[in-house]
Amino acid sequence: MSGSQHATDVHVLIVGAGMSGIAMGVALRRAGIDDLLIVEKGDAVGGTWRENTYPGVACDVVARCYCFSFAPNPAWSTWLPGGAEIRAYFEGVARDHGLLERTRFGVEVTQARWAGDRWRVATRDGGTITARALVTACGILHHPVVPDIPGLDRFAGPAFHTARWNHDVDPTGRRVGIIGTGSTSAQITPALAGVAADVTVFQRTAQWILPLPNRRLRPASAALFRRFPRLNRLAHRGYSRFYDWTFAEATRRPGLQRRMFSALCRWNLRRVRDPELRRRLTPADDPMCRRLVMSWSYYDAIQRPDVTLVDRRIREVVPDGIVTEDGAHHPLDVLVLATGFDTRAYMRPIDVVGCDGTRLDDVWGDTPRAYRTVAVPRFPSFFVLLGPHSPVGNQSLVAIAEVQARWITEAIGLLDAADVGGVVPREDVTAAYNARMLAAMGDTAWTGGCDSWYLDGDGLPLAWPWTPREHGRMLATVDRSELELLPAGAASAAATATATAD
Ligand code: NA7
């Protein structure tokens, strides 16, 4: 489906056709809710895997568990497959579950307003969609951060963010500068080393790097998993448990797992032979304080003669390169901004307006809070996938989205009762949950004093302090006592209140 028809009414509107939007669509259809529409501002499904096409883009979670439990992929080519393969997988799931024909591409939502018994949603092309329930599935790594570096707009060569890779630019034989040393940079740097004439990596903060190897998977294993689907499901579950027991435990509290990852990172760093380079690559904080960067090849790349690490602060970008604070000029032909994403935006800039004209942007500001990661008081029948404090560590977000989609589907089911106009989490319950959740952050690895995209405007982690399994338990079923069911028929009164508050 493409383009927009002007007025549409559906039971459920999903915004975003990335991994979590697909999880939501499948959960609804499996529950028999077919009156759904997905709107996607891009031209294809896949979300982050559609947008990120930079050299070396790959999964950094073992793909055996980076797939849906209802569609474990028997045929991944490697442990950590490339972006195109992952995107093809999600596209296949969307197709197999009848979601492509329920998706309108090229439609961008600009505003959503609660009108008493349904959402009135405006799109950039002037269309209107009304829906009993609104689910935002807009991803976390969605809004590229373009750094505020003096002179950036004066650079004479091509300069682009990693999520907007310019494939017209051939890096072969050119001098490429990469700003940033996060997970993305750790994939691009080895991919460009040896292709570009030289690569200069501008590091502001050194990162710990876990040496996660990639392994080719034999076609025979795909054949085996196809022949024995139970084995395939078992592998999916086994890897998921392994991640729960290792990565999730390590971030949750000090102990064996954290010590183990710490030792592996330190061992990896010792592979850097030059002591001076090793010193400059040594982070000031402890491993896991930020999201661990996974790479087997980054340190190999950074030790190449045609790759240079610059750890002086950038003073300015000039037309032919970068000048650092020590006055050194680093000549460049191409500038890559591996500078990350605004992870606090969620569905914003969509202007979401709930009861009595309450704007989500005003409620959240720089410190977004939700009820159990998925819903927000005063915003009835409004749900967020991968919302605030979702478990976004070094584990599969696919499993997290699935859990949330199931809970949201059950909550949407409450709207079937004739006397229910909307469903919304109670304010007191949400406040108590947030207080408990934030109090539990104390032992987590992210409170180690380092700055990262895990932190909100108050410097508190926006991640989950317990295990993903606990998240699963917390969202296993809808607890009606924690929700308010709004009476049906309040539409006109509430709509009037909202209109006046405008
Ligand atoms: P990250 O992990 O947010 O990394 C961004 C990098 O860019 C990080 O090294 C930043 O340095 C650096 N950065 C940002 N702004 C600047 C400026 N102004 N000057 C110099 N350096 C800057 O983003 P990624 O894309 O690598 O990874 C995001 C997630 O994608 C990742 O965790 C995976 O889940 C996939 P800093 O460390 O802040 O000093």
Side-chain angles (χ1 to χ4, degrees), residues 12-38 68 70 93-94 96-100 102-103 135 137 385 401-402 404-406 408-409 412:
V12 185
L13 177 68
I14 302 169
V15 184
M19 176 277 286
S20 63
I22 295 170
M24 191 68 235
V26 173
L28 289 168
R29 294 211 64 209
R30 292 178 127 205
I33 303 174
D34 248 346
D35 183 12
L36 67 97
L37 174 68
I38 304 176
F68 294 116
F70 55 83
V93 174
D96 293 349
H97 288 81
L99 298 182
L100 293 183
R102 288 170 174 79
T103 304
V135 186
L385 281 155
E402 260 191 74
Q404 295 173 338
R406 275 197 298 269
I408 293 170
T409 300
I412 288 174

Side-chain angles (χ1 to χ4, degrees), residues 60 141 145 147-149 161-162 179-185 202-205 207 290-291 314 338-341 451 453:
D60 68 0
L141 304 167
V145 168
D148 187 16
I149 300 176
H161 190 275
T162 52
I179 302 181
T181 49
S183 302
T184 304
S185 173
F202 294 88
Q203 168 186 285
R204 187 166 68 177
T205 313
Q207 306 251 24
R290 296 155 158 247
R291 186 180 190 277
I314 296 172
T339 41
F341 300 86
D451 188 17
W453 63 260

Side-chain angles (χ1 to χ4, degrees), residues 148-173:
D148 187 16
I149 300 176
L152 188 55
D153 54 341
R154 290 201 304 275
F155 186 68
F160 43 86
H161 190 275
T162 52
R164 303 283 180 271
W165 195 265
N166 183 347
H167 289 278
D168 293 337
V169 176
D170 182 2
T172 311

Side-chain angles (χ1 to χ4, degrees), residues 184-315:
T184 304
S185 173
Q187 293 184 337
I188 293 181
T189 304
L192 290 186
V195 175
D198 58 60
V199 177
T200 308
V201 180
F202 294 88
Q203 168 186 285
R204 187 166 68 177
T205 313
Q207 306 251 24
W208 287 108
I209 299 179
L210 188 78
L212 185 64
N214 197 2
R215 270 197 335 129
R216 193 144 273 295
L217 294 167
R218 292 170 196 279
S221 78
L224 189 74
F225 282 144
R226 278 205 183 92
R227 173 79 180 79
F228 300 104
R230 282 182 68 175
L231 196 62
N232 190 19
R233 285 196 295 275
L234 204 66
H236 176 272
R237 208 169 313 140
Y239 276 98
S240 305
R241 289 281 152 82
F242 177 77
Y243 266 80
D244 279 3
W245 183 74
T246 53
F247 288 99
E249 272 303 318
T251 45
R252 189 169 78 92
R253 58 175 179 193
L256 174 70
Q257 289 87 336
R258 202 180 289 177
R259 285 201 301 278
M260 184 181 79
F261 286 121
S262 179
L264 279 169
C265 290
R266 290 175 202 282
W267 170 82
N268 195 27
L269 184 62
R270 282 199 294 276
R271 294 199 302 129
V272 176
R273 289 178 298 274
D274 173 5
E276 177 53 17
L277 179 61
R278 198 185 317 130
R279 183 191 64 73
R280 295 196 290 137
L281 286 166
T282 305
D285 41 53
D286 289 329
M288 305 205 90
C289 186
R290 296 155 158 247
R291 186 180 190 277
L292 270 186
V293 174
M294 310 277 167
S295 178
W296 190 259
S297 51
Y298 181 73
Y299 287 146
D300 294 331
I302 208 80
Q303 294 182 83
R304 291 173 58 110
D306 52 358
V307 178
T308 307
L309 178 78
V310 174
D311 60 345
R312 292 298 194 126
R313 290 283 173 127
I314 296 172
R315 182 196 291 166

